[in-house]
Amino acid sequence: MKLFLYKILKFTSPLIVLTFFIIFFHKSIYKKPYFQKNRSDDLVEILKNNNKKNYNTLILGNSRSQMLKAKNFNKNLKSEETSFHFDNPGGNIYHFYHSLDYFLKNYNAKNIILFLDGQSLKFNDTEPFYHTSLSPKISGNYLKFYFNYFKLFYNYKMIVSIILKESNIDLPDYFKGFISDNLNYSQTDFETGDITFNIDKLIEINKDSVYESSIFEKRFQNNYKYKKFNKKISENHLKKLKTLLIKNDLNFIVIIPPVYLSNSTSDEDINMIKKIFDDKLLNFSIDSITNNKYFFKDYSHFNEKFGNYIYKEIDL
């Protein structure tokens, strides 16, 4: 019996130690700049803190929408109005629909800017990851949200990444992706929800030297992958999204963002979007844009300079 208990304790002791580590240290780790917080939940909290605001323009999309700044749309607004960036990194039309539905049940808006591309058109409501999940205040699924949060810390790559980061040791490629590197540390505006990363500040300070430096060699390796998806399911959910827009009498436009050296969205998918949204579409996934690295900050995301260009093209 003693031998049996010893074997159980020996087997479970690492798990017990890790659990105590999570209980006592997860809050301090959560506050670290390298920890990737759930942006959907952060943005819901910002909205709640500004609940007396009247919103003019709402920007929806995945992380490729982030450098179109909501603050641009505030230039000619009344003092009691503002615009808001309600993006969901890694999100798809499932996230966009429910984010919009939540927003319209609690706040007012006049204009909607919706970013869609080949990846975000794929409907997926499984929510397997903490970082890309909808806020439980939107989905109502608190159990799964916090399960995904604590599940992070039971991944040995996450733990090793934290230890190496706290020890000021560079992370090998094998461990990258679980925490942010210095260039991807971010700050969020507490009125507009606009996000700014360290890489954005670096580009603004000295664009030429940044684009010719070694830090961009890996950032510009094109890893964009288009995966086939059920067009019928996506089409049905796009129609639901449009119905929500029409029902609330909203002005809207759909934007197809570019990715570096690749098409973010197939011609077939673009035609599906046009068919549903009545050609209220701006397509920036064209060669003259995708081939220009100075419009991007990595292979998958355009920079603020190009975001300002998009802003000037929008007519709502």
Side-chain angles (χ1 to χ4, degrees):
M1 183 66 177
K2 288 183 178 180
L3 181 61
F4 175 71
L5 291 174
Y6 172 76
K7 288 182 178 180
I8 291 178
L9 184 62
K10 183 179 179 181
F11 178 77
T12 59
S13 57
L15 187 61
I16 294 170
V17 171
L18 180 57
T19 300
F20 274 102
F21 171 83
I22 294 170
I23 292 171
F24 287 106
F25 293 105
H26 78 93
K27 287 186 179 180
S28 62
I29 292 171
Y30 181 86
K31 296 176 182 178
K32 297 286 186 178
Y34 58 71
F35 185 82
Q36 299 178 54
K37 298 178 177 63
N38 181 279
R39 182 153 164 83
S40 175
D41 203 44
D42 280 356
L43 292 173
V44 168
E45 285 302 309
I46 292 174
L47 284 170
K48 289 172 67 177
N49 292 334
N50 293 332
N51 61 0
K52 293 183 180 179
K53 289 283 186 180
N54 293 313
Y55 290 92
N56 180 278
T57 299
L58 183 70
I59 302 171
L60 291 168
N62 57 20
S63 60
R64 295 191 184 97
S65 69
Q66 288 174 340
M67 289 301 105
L68 174 63
K69 301 291 189 177
K71 66 181 181 182
N72 287 334
F73 297 90
N74 289 347
K75 294 175 182 177
N76 300 311
L77 297 183
K78 300 174 183 177
S79 59
E80 68 270 17
E81 287 188 316
T82 190
S83 299
F84 196 73
H85 212 299
F86 207 21
D87 59 279
N88 200 121
N92 63 76
I93 49 180
Y94 161 77
H95 300 84
F96 308 158
Y97 174 85
H98 288 285
S99 293
L100 179 60
D101 186 50
Y102 169 86
F103 186 93
L104 295 174
K105 286 176 179 176
N106 294 280
Y107 309 96
N108 296 318
K110 297 177 181 176
N111 306 307
I112 305 296
I113 299 169
L114 173 63
F115 278 77
L116 293 172
D117 56 50
Q119 290 182 338
S120 61
L121 283 171
K122 182 179 179 180
F123 179 84
N124 186 352
D125 62 353
T126 57
E127 302 274 60
F129 305 114
Y130 165 73
H131 304 115
T132 58
S133 296
L134 278 174
S135 166
K137 301 174 186 71
I138 297 176
S139 68
N141 199 337
Y142 286 84
L143 182 62
K144 189 167 188 178
F145 181 83
Y146 288 108
F147 173 79
N148 284 339
Y149 171 72
F150 284 107
K151 186 175 68 174
L152 277 175
F153 296 95
Y154 286 93
N155 188 313
Y156 80 94
K157 289 184 179 180
M158 179 71 168
I159 299 301
V160 171
S161 297
I162 292 171
I163 293 171
L164 292 176
K165 192 70 174 180
E166 291 292 336
S167 304
N168 293 316
I169 299 173
D170 290 339
L171 267 66
D173 289 345
Y174 182 69
F175 290 102
K176 289 185 177 178
F178 288 86
I179 61 177
S180 296
D181 60 28
N182 291 0
L183 290 176
N184 287 320
Y185 289 0
S186 64
Q187 303 81 41
T188 298
D189 186 276
F190 291 124
E191 180 177 319
T192 64
D194 285 335
I195 190 168
T196 302
F197 296 87
N198 282 356
I199 185 63
D200 304 318
K201 297 177 182 177
L202 200 59
I203 291 172
E204 185 178 357
I205 292 170
N206 199 336
K207 180 192 74 174
D208 293 335
S209 64
V210 169
Y211 279 93
E212 302 309 319
S213 68
S214 60
I215 66 171
F216 270 79
E217 290 180 9
K218 288 191 175 181
R219 293 184 72 89
F220 275 77
Q221 289 178 358
N222 198 313
N223 296 313
Y224 184 82
K225 294 179 181 178
Y226 177 87
K227 295 181 179 179
K228 293 183 179 181
F229 57 90
N230 188 311
K231 307 287 184 183
K232 192 64 179 177
I233 292 176
S234 294
E235 186 175 342
N236 288 339
H237 282 87
L238 286 175
K239 288 177 179 177
K240 282 181 62 178
L241 195 46
K242 184 186 177 183
T243 299
L244 188 60
L245 292 166
I246 299 298
K247 177 183 175 182
N248 288 274
D249 196 27
L250 295 165
N251 298 317
F252 65 88
I253 192 164
V254 176
I255 292 177
I256 297 176
V259 295
Y260 185 57
L261 295 181
S262 185
N263 291 322
S264 69
T265 315
S266 70
D267 290 340
E268 181 183 2
D269 293 342
I270 291 172
N271 288 333
M272 178 173 66
I273 295 170
K274 285 181 177 180
K275 177 184 174 183
I276 294 170
F277 291 99
D278 305 320
D279 288 326
K280 291 186 177 181
L281 173 70
L282 288 174
N283 178 18
F284 294 101
S285 183
I286 56 177
D287 289 346
S288 60
I289 293 171
T290 60
N291 293 337
N292 188 339
K293 73 175 182 179
Y294 294 102
F295 288 152
F296 298 88
K297 60 180 180 177
D298 58 46
Y299 77 90
S300 189
H301 301 91
F302 61 82
N303 56 29
E304 188 171 353
K305 173 187 175 182
F306 191 74
N308 292 336
Y309 173 79
I310 292 176
Y311 164 71
K312 293 174 182 176
E313 295 295 306
I314 292 173
D315 183 20
L316 286 167

